[in-house]
Amino acid sequence: MQQARDSGGGVQKILSIITQLLPIIIIGGLLYAGFFVKAEAVITKVEPKPIERRDNFFSIITPTEQIAWAAGTAGKIVRSDDGGKTWLRQPTPTLVNLQGIAAWDAQTAVAAGNEGTILHTTDGGASWKLANTPKSENPNKLFRVRVFGDTAWAVGEFSGLYKSTDKGANWTRLLPEDDRALNAIYFVGQSGWAVGEVGSIMRTEDGGETWTPVETENQSSLMAVTFRDATHGVAVGLTGTLLVTDDAGVTWRVVPGLTREHLLDVIWDENNWIAVGDKGVKVTSNAEATEWTAGRLAEGDVAWRTQIVRAGSKYFVAGANLGILEDGKITVVGR
């Protein structure tokens, strides 16, 4: 029994010593962890929004009522498959500003921009690839790209006029370089028109093989041109310039005095013409282009607009931001 009591007392002494040392052991462990154990940082990656407030979008295209592509600053291309409700950013191999985008269908499209850059896709934008383009010692910024039938056309600085017949993969130059920019192009069948700086207009009747300059009274730079058929067309430009033709672009008449704001795009919209530009300006006319009125795209909207396209009952507008115009109201995407 004595031995048992001695044994029990020893256990109590050990427990007492452990109890006394326990705070020291804990503090020591914490100090060791603080000095010698490096904690692994937990980093939560925040993905940027597809469309941010600082983005400018210079061009938009709607191959269907539900599908839209827009192109803009820093090589950004975004796409919506639900009529503009949601957007996804698509990866591109460039950081230059993209000034124009066009599409044959929901899978095949081209985009063009600064430094003569042209991109093309055949998988709905899942991958965009650099096109094979003619080299130049000049910057050759491209301002617009358009698709007519199987052919794509791009225009830009130094009389840049390029053509692709293989869905945007390879391009050839059609005009020699000179110090004048082309800003827009339009085709109806084999007839085509290109407009640009200092009021320049050119026309072709052989699908773009040869081009003839057209003399007009206007000296203001022209930014866009559209035809509703092979005969009737409208061109718009800086300081509210409006030109109208009803003889396939052989002659043009000036529509004076509607606005001093720059007009940057014009479309034929079923039974009327619509032009848009700086500070939310909108200019419209009847089919004959004889009764023009100036107004605003929407109440309170003063953003500059470089392009307008229709998709069903609504319009998409590009420029200072990406907007959807419906029932006279603009919803700015990403705001």
Side-chain angles (χ1 to χ4, degrees):
M1 290 182 62
Q2 181 65 38
Q3 185 178 1
R5 283 196 295 270
D6 292 343
S7 176
V11 172
Q12 289 179 352
K13 287 180 180 180
I14 293 171
L15 291 174
S16 176
I17 293 171
I18 292 174
T19 302
Q20 293 175 12
L21 293 176
L22 187 59
I24 298 174
I25 294 171
I26 294 174
I27 293 172
L30 292 174
L31 289 173
Y32 178 85
F35 283 108
F36 300 106
V37 178
K38 293 184 179 180
E40 293 185 5
V42 178
I43 300 175
T44 302
K45 186 177 181 181
V46 179
E47 293 291 340
K49 295 179 179 179
I51 298 175
E52 301 175 276
R53 294 183 64 90
R54 65 176 180 270
D55 290 335
N56 298 143
F57 288 95
F58 306 114
S59 185
I60 188 164
I61 192 66
T62 53
T64 73
E65 287 189 16
Q66 293 299 308
I67 295 174
W69 265 302
T73 49
K76 178 171 279 192
I77 295 178
V78 295
R79 172 170 164 142
S80 175
D81 290 306
D82 54 12
K85 296 177 183 176
T86 61
W87 297 80
L88 291 175
R89 182 173 183 174
Q90 298 185 326
T92 64
T94 184
L95 291 176
V96 304
N97 289 352
L98 296 173
Q99 308 285 345
I101 192 165
W104 285 271
D105 52 47
Q107 297 298 311
T108 314
V110 293
N114 295 6
E115 300 178 9
T117 301
I118 301 180
L119 310 178
H120 67 107
T121 182
T122 57
D123 55 12
S127 62
W128 287 88
K129 299 177 181 178
L130 288 169
N132 180 26
T133 58
K135 303 303 180 185
S136 172
E137 295 181 359
N138 292 310
N140 276 350
K141 177 191 289 187
L142 298 175
F143 296 119
R144 193 65 77 210
V145 60
R146 300 294 299 264
V147 166
F148 301 99
D150 292 330
T151 304
W153 298 86
V155 292
E157 292 180 327
F158 294 93
S159 291
L161 179 59
Y162 300 88
K163 176 181 179 180
S164 173
T165 56
D166 58 2
K167 301 301 175 69
N170 296 280
W171 295 76
T172 56
R173 185 181 182 108
L174 300 181
L175 293 177
E177 294 187 1
D178 65 39
D179 193 18
R180 181 175 294 189
L182 295 176
N183 296 323
I185 191 167
Y186 201 88
F187 271 87
V188 177
Q190 292 294 299
S191 299
W193 305 265
V195 301
E197 284 187 320
V198 201
S200 59
I201 300 176
M202 297 190 303
R203 61 189 297 265
T204 180
E205 295 180 324
D206 55 11
E209 293 300 318
T210 60
W211 293 82
T212 303
V214 178
E215 296 296 329
T216 71
E217 297 178 3
N218 170 63
Q219 294 297 305
S220 295
S221 293
L222 298 171
M223 306 304 292
V225 61
T226 296
F227 277 67
R228 66 179 173 91
D229 53 38
T231 303
H232 301 87
V234 173
V236 300
L238 303 187
T239 62
T241 300
L242 259 169
L243 303 180
V244 175
T245 181
D246 54 15
D247 60 5
V250 176
T251 61
W252 297 77
R253 69 178 184 275
V254 177
V255 179
L258 284 170
T259 179
R260 294 294 295 173
E261 302 297 344
H262 299 327
L263 296 175
L264 305 176
D265 193 28
V266 60
I267 61 171
W268 167 248
D269 185 35
E270 294 185 346
N271 296 311
N272 59 88
W273 301 92
I274 301 176
V276 296
D278 275 355
K279 299 179 183 177
V281 67
K282 178 181 73 172
V283 175
T284 59
S285 177
N286 60 346
E288 291 73 28
T290 56
E291 300 176 5
W292 290 90
T293 58
R296 308 199 75 80
L297 267 175
E299 183 70 27
D301 180 65
V302 293
W304 47 271
R305 304 295 180 190
T306 53
Q307 200 165 7
I308 180 171
V309 296
R310 184 170 183 173
S313 62
K314 59 180 175 288
Y315 301 84
F316 288 90
V317 287
N321 52 53
L322 185 59
I324 300 174
L325 176 64
E326 195 167 16
D327 298 327
K329 297 180 179 180
I330 285 184
T331 300
V332 177
V333 180
R335 300 286 176 89

